[in-house]
Amino acid sequence: MEVRNCKSCGRLYNYIGGSYKNLCPNCVNSMEDKFAEVRDYIEKNRVATMPQISKDCDVRMEQIERWVREERLFFSDDSPIGIDCESCGVTIKSGRYCPACKNKMTNVLSDLYHDDSSRSDRAKTDNDSERTKFLSREFIDKVNKQK
Ligand SMILES: [Zn+2]
Ligand SMILES: [Zn+2]
């Protein structure tokens, strides 16, 4: 068990994990209430800006952004709010990466962990044809020498 100081109210509490690393259970509860409030607010004010939400709901912008990164908050397409893809910097509405970067990462992962059979088949075929070319050249050389 780990005893920590709550960042919000300063009380000591037993840290048991979870997404709010620096908050005591009391403050986590009020933060969850805040989250519900912000979510409702966004639903009703689809074009609200980040400072506006922060001011009207009395929540720090960093906290709102964290919820967005955790994919707990979603903004509508007509919302002016966007955050940067952590990889390429393109504007996204939720999460950490844009769809393109997510795709790229999934591909890298599947390359690493799964045998992509169509790809390795193609690679093998390429190698075979290279070898065939080489062999036939060698064969031709041999034939030429024998002449
Ligand atoms: Zn607290
Ligand atoms: Zn990206």
Side-chain angles (χ1 to χ4, degrees):
M1 201 106 72
E2 194 184 333
V3 177
R4 290 190 180 187
N5 245 327
C6 174
K7 268 264 157 59
S8 177
C9 68
R11 260 196 305 236
L12 286 174
Y13 69 102
N14 290 319
Y15 175 67
I16 47 158
S19 70
Y20 302 102
K21 293 186 177 59
N22 302 309
L23 295 183
C24 71
N26 266 342
C27 293
V28 168
N29 276 341
S30 51
M31 200 50 101
E32 284 304 303
D33 288 348
K34 249 334 161 200
F35 171 74
E37 192 186 326
V38 171
R39 197 188 44 203
D40 287 353
Y41 179 89
I42 291 171
E43 265 169 36
K44 282 178 208 129
N45 305 276
R46 298 171 75 89
V47 293
T49 61
M50 197 78 109
Q52 216 176 321
I53 300 169
S54 170
K55 190 167 150 280
D56 287 353
C57 299
D58 189 28
V59 181
R60 291 203 329 275
M61 283 201 274
E62 301 93 85
Q63 183 57 58
I64 300 172
E65 191 180 315
R66 192 178 304 164
W67 283 327
V68 179
R69 292 279 184 208
E70 288 170 355
E71 297 191 39
R72 297 185 67 194
L73 281 184
F74 292 89
F75 297 104
S76 61
D77 286 339
D78 42 343
S79 163
I81 296 175
I83 52 174
D84 294 344
C85 164
E86 287 184 9
S87 177
C88 71
V90 108
T91 302
I92 52 174
K93 293 289 182 191
S94 192
R96 299 178 60 192
Y97 303 107
C98 69
C101 287
K102 262 189 202 163
N103 259 339
K104 234 184 287 169
M105 275 171 230
T106 319
N107 285 340
V108 169
L109 282 183
S110 66
D111 275 4
L112 283 179
Y113 295 111
H114 302 287
D115 187 18
D116 185 346
S117 59
S118 66
R119 180 184 289 236
S120 54
D121 274 359
R122 204 168 54 230
K124 214 172 83 195
T125 317
D126 282 356
N127 276 340
D128 280 355
S129 64
E130 275 303 308
R131 207 165 58 212
T132 315
K133 239 186 279 170
F134 176 71
L135 281 176
S136 55
R137 210 183 298 134
E138 198 182 43
F139 178 74
I140 292 166
D141 281 355
K142 224 180 262 174
V143 170
N144 282 342
K145 268 178 208 155
Q146 277 171 355
K147 267 187 186 169

